Amino acid sequence: MEHVPPPAEELALLDRELAQLDARRAHLLTRRAWLVGALQPQPQPQAPNTPRWSTPPVGHGWAPGQPWGSGPRTAKPSAPRSAQNVLLTLGGLLLTVAAVAFTLVSWGSMGIGGRSAVLALVTLAALAAPAVLLRRKLAATAEALAALALVLTLLDVYAIHAVAAPDADGLTFTAVASAVLAALWAAYGLALGKLHLPLPAAVFFVQWPLLLGAWAAGAPAIVVGWALLVTAVVDGAIALWGKGLGVRVTAGTGLAVMGSAALLVGLGESLTAGGPLGALLPGTLLLTAAVAALAGAWRTPDGYAQVGGAVAGLAAVAAVGGALRAAVPGTWQVPVYLLCGLALLFVVRVRLPRSAGRGVLLAAGAVVAGALVWALPPVAAVLLGPVQLVAEVWAGAPDGFRGALGASMPWSEMVAAPVVLAVVAGGLGAAFRWWTALVRVAAPLITPGAKVRGAAGAGALGLGWGTLLLAAATLDVPYPVAVALETVLVAGLLAVAVRGADRGAGGAGSAEGAGPSGGIGAAVRVGALVGAVGGAVSAGLLSLASEAATYAVFGALALLFTGAALRTRAVVEQAVLAVAAVVWGTALTGCAARSLGLAPHEAAPLLLVVPAVTVGLGARLRRHPVALPVELTGALGGLLAVGLAVGRAPFLALVLALCGVLAAGAAVRPERRPVAGYLAAVLFVAATWVRLAASEVSVPEAYTLPVTVPALVVGVLRRRKDPGASSWTAYGPGLAATLLPSLAVAWTDPDWLRPLLLGVAALVITLLGAKYRLQALLLLGGAVLALDTLHELAPYVVQVAGALPRWLPPALAGLLLLAVGATYEQRLREARRLKDVLGRMR
């Protein structure tokens, strides 16, 4: 056992420990003061071998006999600042000031020739200075002067244009000047290899000669595209074989900008071509760009190679697809590009570097994704279009499918969308079916896992479902056919979900990577289940146009989901299906109420049929995992019934009482009793008070006290039999039955008698709770007393607040916050102490 000393002994022990800590602290402070004094420089010089202090510290790296203050033997003296660098920096600043003064004072009195001569001499000096500085190992100063020389060369170009060729075209002269500057700075950078600025500057100047030359010549857009592409190829070569990080970064940036511009020009020309011959030149440009990107991807690291492969694939699709696009009608252009993108998948049969091949596959995926983005909005319109029928339920069935969807989509332009979905769905389905062969073929480039196969199967299922729906909309099938088609598709999806869940639960062949005879896989099951739920909602909305169709579809959906829930053995799928069946059953009861011509408050009791069925079903299922979701869904139906009956108090009381009966029936089961029992009590009490309010009862105590007194007697007997029982269980219901309704009436009572009697009763209950340490009495009585007092004092508080200056309440609030903040720790301890006291009460 652990020994706990008496308080007096423990106090003495703590005093001794604190005294030792104080002594140790004083010793450390003395030592620190000595060290601070030792590190301060001395005003008088001392002999080299004379130690500055007599007692050097021990254990800090000083060798025996080494003078204190000379530093450890392992320390290396820091290099002093070079006086030569300081002088050169100051000289450069003075030259800058002089140049500025010359420019401001004397420049205006010189002609353009004199200015050019002076500028040329200064430029030559700036170009020659870095070579001298590099020999003296002043690299930083050389870089600064090289930057100055770069600016001066640009000014020289402007001077030449103004003096020697004032009539020359600006774009042409800039193109020639860019080429000259690129050659000049490339030679300069190669001659002075230690400078980092010239070669990147040369790469920068390389970007402009061809582009500006083509622009100056008024060349067509395709020629500008070729100029951009050639420049991008030069940038790529420099990025591959250039020397230095700055050169490669500048070239890579130019490659990205110029290459993207060239591709955009080629794509724009291809899309606007009037025929296959007009798309030939842009296609050639795009194919050349694809070859260049693929050639660069062959020699670059993995990440860049993947980007190069993706660019090559997209450019090839744009080139070939652009030529074919011009030969087909406008509505079929997207399928053409889709087929070209799918053709990129054959790259798995070509010997490419792994990263470049992956890039080409990414390009194929991007093309397919783009085609799906174009084709999926019509599917969303088919699924969500029937929402408009909610505003006019049973207004009459339209002639065709499109009549129920509205005119939000240009259906005549969407005839190719089902083809796109069908092609992609077929490809994904084939990949799912022949997965083993696909993995073997694609092994040199990618090794997809089992999850990819599951995603492919789910995608094939969802896109196939969307294909059928979209085909029905584009063909504008008759309305009954559309309703029947959506319902049959829901049944098919449920069959797939149930079959996959059964095989997965059975354990045989449940792995996603198994062959076709094995399990369908979790992804396919989930996709089928989600599609079934979404399709059921769409079918239900679509059926709202006709009363007969509504009953047929809602009834079929309820039966389908119920049968699927009974058929499957997977718990999650079974719960989702059972919940959906309950929802459709509730919708059927609502339709029955509408057919009977019932008002919303009159239909509320009818909606409780489904919650009653779920309570009985829960009693049969008992602890089955599906029981709780089913009962909660039924409870939501009861909540809907309460919401419909809110407008009429008598019907609301009836609905609340019926819900209380259902809750009491659920409370018979031990696993539901902790929640359903309290809920039943609350519902019965609420129903009683709603009924009393509907009857305009003004003295609720006449009805509550006959309930409170026997309830408190039962609580006393319960506490005598079980002293450990909580006061909330024993006295809480009885006290709340009178205190809470009386408090609600007292807040609207203009007389003084009821608030006075209620306050006295609450005070007595609070005092009894404090005396006998009963939490329910203390908290209930205290809360009612506080609210009743607040109600009585509210008019006076309002009068006082109106008489106070406007600035006083914020000031008082600020002072209160400051006081609470200053004593926050104390208030926190008091709150914890109060919590402990309340926790110890029964």
Side-chain angles (χ1 to χ4, degrees):
M1 291 181 61
E2 182 179 358
H3 173 68
V4 179
E9 182 179 350
E10 186 177 1
L11 180 60
L13 180 61
L14 292 177
D15 289 339
R16 287 196 297 271
E17 292 288 342
L18 290 173
Q20 292 177 3
L21 289 175
D22 290 339
R24 178 62 178 167
R25 185 172 184 274
H27 173 72
L28 293 176
L29 288 175
T30 303
R31 182 66 175 176
R32 180 181 181 279
W34 182 86
L35 290 172
V36 169
L39 293 175
Q40 292 178 355
Q42 298 300 313
Q44 295 86 8
Q46 297 182 4
N49 296 327
T50 303
R52 295 182 179 178
W53 299 277
S54 58
T55 309
V58 180
H60 290 77
W62 273 263
Q66 182 181 1
W68 168 244
S70 61
R73 291 184 177 178
T74 57
K76 295 182 180 180
S78 60
R81 183 181 297 273
S82 174
Q84 194 173 17
N85 284 339
V86 175
L87 293 175
L88 284 173
T89 304
L90 291 176
L93 290 176
L94 292 176
L95 285 175
T96 304
V97 172
V100 171
F102 172 77
T103 303
L104 295 178
V105 176
S106 303
W107 185 258
S109 61
M110 300 177 63
I112 187 65
R115 298 177 189 177
S116 302
V118 172
L119 192 59
L121 291 176
V122 174
T123 303
L124 291 176
L127 289 172
V132 179
L133 294 172
L134 287 176
R135 284 197 296 269
R136 295 173 178 256
K137 297 183 179 180
L138 299 174
T141 309
E143 290 286 353
L145 287 178
L148 177 61
L150 176 61
V151 176
L152 291 174
T153 53
L154 295 176
L155 295 177
D156 287 332
V157 170
Y158 172 75
I160 292 173
H161 180 265
V163 175
D167 299 328
D169 179 65
L171 288 176
T172 304
F173 183 84
T174 305
V176 175
S178 299
V180 173
L181 288 176
L184 171 65
W185 282 100
Y188 187 75
L190 293 175
L192 300 179
K194 294 184 179 179
L195 291 179
H196 300 288
L197 180 63
L199 290 179
V203 175
F204 173 78
F205 289 123
V206 165
Q207 313 302 314
W208 309 109
L210 293 179
L211 175 61
L212 295 179
W215 193 1
I222 191 66
V223 177
V224 175
W226 279 104
L228 291 169
L229 180 59
V230 172
T231 304
V233 171
V234 173
D235 287 331
I238 296 173
L240 284 175
W241 295 294
K243 182 175 63 175
L245 179 61
V247 173
R248 294 188 176 185
V249 169
T250 307
T253 305
L255 170 63
V257 174
M258 296 298 179
S260 300
L263 291 174
L264 290 176
V265 170
L267 180 61
E269 291 295 307
S270 177
L271 292 176
T272 57
L277 293 178
L280 185 60
L281 289 178
T284 306
L285 173 64
L286 292 171
L287 283 178
T288 304
V291 172
L294 198 59
W298 209 294
R299 296 172 176 82
T300 54
D302 291 343
Y304 298 104
Q306 193 163 336
V307 173
V311 171
L314 292 175
V317 170
V320 180
L324 298 176
R325 176 204 62 82
V328 299
T331 55
W332 296 95
Q333 294 178 358
V334 174
V336 167
Y337 283 104
L338 174 62
L339 294 177
C340 294
L342 293 176
L344 294 179
L345 297 176
F346 288 99
V347 73
V348 297
R349 310 296 295 178
V350 181
R351 291 185 178 181
L352 283 180
R354 187 179 181 89
S355 297
R358 286 182 175 181
V360 176
L361 292 180
L362 286 177
V367 174
V368 173
L372 290 179
V373 168
W374 175 81
L376 287 179
V379 179
V382 172
L383 293 175
L384 302 178
V387 173
Q388 63 176 347
L389 298 176
V390 176
E392 299 178 359
V393 178
W394 298 347
D399 294 333
F401 193 5
R402 296 182 191 174
L405 302 178
S408 58
M409 293 294 296
W411 296 108
S412 59
E413 301 177 5
M414 292 295 169
V415 293
V419 177
V420 171
L421 295 178
V423 170
V424 179
L428 293 177
F432 181 78
R433 175 64 178 83
W434 292 286
W435 182 254
T436 305
L438 177 64
V439 171
R440 184 172 61 253
V441 172
L445 296 182
I446 56 174
T447 53
K451 292 183 178 180
V452 180
R453 185 198 181 204
L461 189 66
L463 292 177
W465 168 55
T467 299
L468 294 177
L469 290 180
L470 191 54
T474 53
L475 296 175
D476 196 18
V477 298
Y479 174 76
V481 176
V483 173
L485 176 63
E486 289 209 19
T487 308
V488 170
L489 289 178
V490 171
L493 292 173
L494 288 176
V496 173
V498 170
R499 178 173 175 267
D502 288 344
R503 294 200 173 191
S510 60
E512 293 183 15
S517 60
I520 293 180
V524 179
R525 294 200 308 269
V526 172
L529 188 60
V530 172
V533 173
V537 174
S538 178
L541 293 174
L542 184 63
S543 68
L544 293 179
S546 169
E547 183 176 4
T550 301
Y551 279 106
V553 172
F554 282 19
L557 292 176
L559 291 176
L560 286 173
F561 279 93
T562 302
L566 296 175
R567 175 70 177 80
T568 185
R569 290 175 292 170
V571 175
V572 176
E573 285 84 352
Q574 193 174 40
V576 173
L577 294 170
V579 167
V582 173
V583 170
W584 292 117
T586 306
L588 269 177
T589 57
C591 293
R594 182 178 178 85
S595 296
L596 295 174
L598 300 178
H601 61 276
E602 295 173 338
L606 184 60
L607 289 179
L608 296 178
V609 173
V610 175
V613 173
T614 58
V615 170
L617 185 60
R620 182 171 182 81
L621 294 174
R622 299 192 66 80
R623 297 186 180 276
H624 194 279
V626 179
L628 181 59
V630 169
E631 292 180 84
L632 289 178
T633 308
L636 291 178
L639 185 62
L640 176 62
V642 171
L644 292 176
V646 166
R648 297 293 181 91
F651 279 91
L652 179 60
L654 174 62
V655 172
L656 289 174
L658 293 176
C659 290
V661 171
L662 295 178
V668 174
R669 298 156 52 196
E671 65 273 11
R672 299 287 184 263
R673 190 170 301 152
V675 176
Y678 288 108
L679 180 61
V682 171
L683 289 172
F684 282 133
V685 172
T688 302
W689 287 111
V690 171
R691 181 67 260 181
L692 292 177
S695 301
E696 298 182 354
V697 173
S698 59
V699 186
E701 292 81 5
Y703 300 90
T704 58
L705 286 176
V707 176
T708 295
V709 173
L712 292 178
V713 172
V714 172
V716 171
L717 296 177
R718 170 74 184 275
R719 290 272 295 177
R720 287 183 178 178
K721 184 178 180 180
D722 183 13
S726 171
S727 62
W728 290 99
T729 304
Y731 308 119
L735 292 174
T738 294
L739 289 178
L740 298 181
S742 298
L743 178 63
V745 176
W747 268 75
T748 58
D749 192 353
D751 200 1
W752 58 272
L753 182 59
R754 177 180 277 110
L756 176 62
L757 294 177
L758 179 62
V760 172
L763 178 61
V764 172
I765 293 172
T766 304
L767 294 176
L768 289 175
K771 179 179 181 181
Y772 294 104
R773 304 179 62 80
L774 298 175
Q775 189 180 101
L777 276 68
L778 180 63
L779 294 181
L780 272 176
V784 172
L785 178 61
L787 292 174
D788 185 64
T789 305
L790 178 63
H791 172 262
E792 294 303 308
L793 294 179
Y796 304 102
V797 173
V798 171
Q799 292 178 4
V800 172
L804 292 176
R806 295 287 182 93
W807 56 267
L808 188 57
L812 294 176
L815 291 175
L816 177 62
L817 291 177
L818 288 176
V820 172
T823 59
Y824 174 75
E825 294 294 336
Q826 181 65 25
R827 301 288 83 79
L828 188 61
R829 286 194 293 269
E830 292 175 356
R832 290 172 179 169
R833 191 178 300 113
L834 177 61
K835 178 184 176 183
D836 295 338
V837 170
L838 290 175
R840 288 194 293 268
M841 291 184 176
R842 288 290 180 183

